[in-house]
Amino acid sequence: MHNTLRIATFNIHKGLTHFNTHLSLHQQRDLLRKLHADVVFLQEVRDVHHEHSKRFDSWPMAGQMEFLADTIWKDYAYGKNAVYPAGHHGNALLSKFPIIKTTNIDISAHSSEERGMLHTEINIPNWDAPLHTICVHLGLFARWRKQQLILIQDYIQRHIPANSPLIVAGDFNDWGMRSGRNFSHQVGLQEVFAHHTGKPARSFPSWLPILRLDRIYTRGFKIQHVEVHSGARFLKLSDHAMLSATLTKGH
């Protein structure tokens, strides 16, 4: 019985280094593999970009999501959020277990930012209910994030049973932390780093994290271990650190 679940969340910065000079997708995949995560929440996955596919020789022609999943994560889901002439990007979820349902919801609060939440249901062997996951990337301004969190809160209350295990993770852009606290209280979630250290993790910029932008919220789990993956090596990976957690099913 799979009672222990290893998860990670990572804003991959469209698979490019901080100043968009080099493709870092291959190094990102190597790092993700070393985590041995069962479920991975990804933001800023650029699944199609006609110009970059010509600019970078090692650009994956099948798309960034399939490239990252490779043979490790058998199932994956993609939520297209931002669409432009050259292509599109959005949130993605990689899973070692079958994804049985996927819903992508537009939560954009302003026409200048296309944002979404990707909801999946995952069938984990011998669990009495599916695992619900929500991968998010919220807006840059506090008033937009507040609107988006209300939409996510309402969605959870309407569509996810209160007794079902739930993980909400991603780039919340919530450096003030107030919105996140209100959100977690309303839907009965705990933030895994706040549970262990008293505050969410510092995750931006990745090489010397100061701001607490990325989060992992859970319901129906005990938190066994949390870790921030950051440092100088991330100058060649992404502007966000990667967060991981080990969870055990049960309150």
Side-chain angles (χ1 to χ4, degrees):
M1 187 172 181
H2 298 275
N3 277 330
T4 299
L5 197 69
R6 294 178 178 85
I7 66 168
T9 183
F10 190 25
N11 182 327
I12 70 167
H13 196 247
K14 305 178 181 72
L16 301 174
T17 54
H18 181 50
F19 295 106
N20 299 332
T21 54
H22 297 91
L23 183 69
S24 57
L25 200 68
H26 295 259
Q27 293 90 337
Q28 291 173 348
R29 184 173 71 173
D30 291 342
L31 182 58
L32 284 168
R33 285 175 169 179
K34 291 175 182 176
L35 292 183
H36 303 290
D38 300 301
V39 179
V40 181
F41 298 74
L42 299 172
Q43 304 85 50
E44 291 195 23
V45 177
R46 179 168 271 167
D47 221 39
V48 172
H49 198 282
H50 303 303
E51 294 175 5
H52 285 174
S53 62
K54 297 174 183 176
R55 176 183 169 191
F56 299 108
D57 292 337
S58 54
W59 185 272
M61 300 313 295
Q64 291 187 346
M65 179 180 61
E66 287 192 35
F67 176 80
L68 290 171
D70 196 33
T71 59
I72 307 298
W73 294 275
K74 302 295 185 182
D75 265 21
Y76 39 82
Y78 175 64
K80 185 192 300 183
N81 297 332
V83 181
Y84 29 82
H88 51 79
H89 71 263
N91 301 317
L93 188 105
L94 313 180
S95 174
K96 291 183 178 179
F97 306 108
I99 296 173
I100 56 177
K101 186 177 180 181
T102 300
T103 307
N104 192 50
I105 306 293
D106 184 353
I107 58 169
S108 303
H110 193 272
S111 59
S112 65
E113 276 192 356
E114 296 170 291
R115 303 290 190 181
M117 55 164 280
L118 177 65
H119 172 212
T120 67
E121 295 182 38
I122 300 174
N123 187 19
I124 300 180
N126 300 315
W127 282 26
D128 52 5
L131 168 65
H132 289 261
T133 71
I134 295 178
C135 183
V136 302
H137 187 186
L138 302 188
L140 292 174
F141 294 98
R143 65 183 182 276
W144 297 352
R145 293 193 297 274
K146 184 177 180 180
Q147 293 176 39
Q148 290 162 347
L149 285 170
I150 290 171
L151 289 173
I152 297 168
Q153 173 188 321
D154 181 69
Y155 181 89
I156 290 172
Q157 292 171 338
R158 287 175 178 268
H159 298 284
I160 300 177
N163 61 343
S164 292
L166 168 64
I167 304 171
V168 183
D171 180 357
F172 280 70
N173 272 318
D174 180 31
W175 48 81
M177 297 187 288
R178 181 180 299 175
S179 297
R181 281 195 296 265
N182 292 339
F183 166 70
S184 61
H185 176 74
Q186 291 296 327
V187 289
L189 295 164
Q190 60 179 347
E191 206 286 322
V192 299
F193 287 87
H195 178 270
H196 267 246
T197 67
K199 290 184 178 180
R202 297 182 189 272
S203 62
F204 186 91
S206 58
W207 49 91
L208 188 64
I210 298 171
L211 298 177
R212 307 176 191 273
L213 301 189
D214 300 85
R215 307 286 165 81
I216 300 174
Y217 293 95
T218 67
R219 188 172 72 188
F221 292 95
K222 294 178 181 178
I223 302 156
Q224 303 298 334
H225 178 73
V226 296
E227 189 171 350
V228 180
H229 307 268
S230 61
R233 60 181 172 156
F234 272 77
L235 280 168
K236 297 181 179 180
L237 285 173
S238 174
D239 55 350
H240 282 253
M242 185 188 300
L243 307 183
S244 65
T246 302
L247 313 171
T248 303
K249 190 170 178 285
H251 295 279

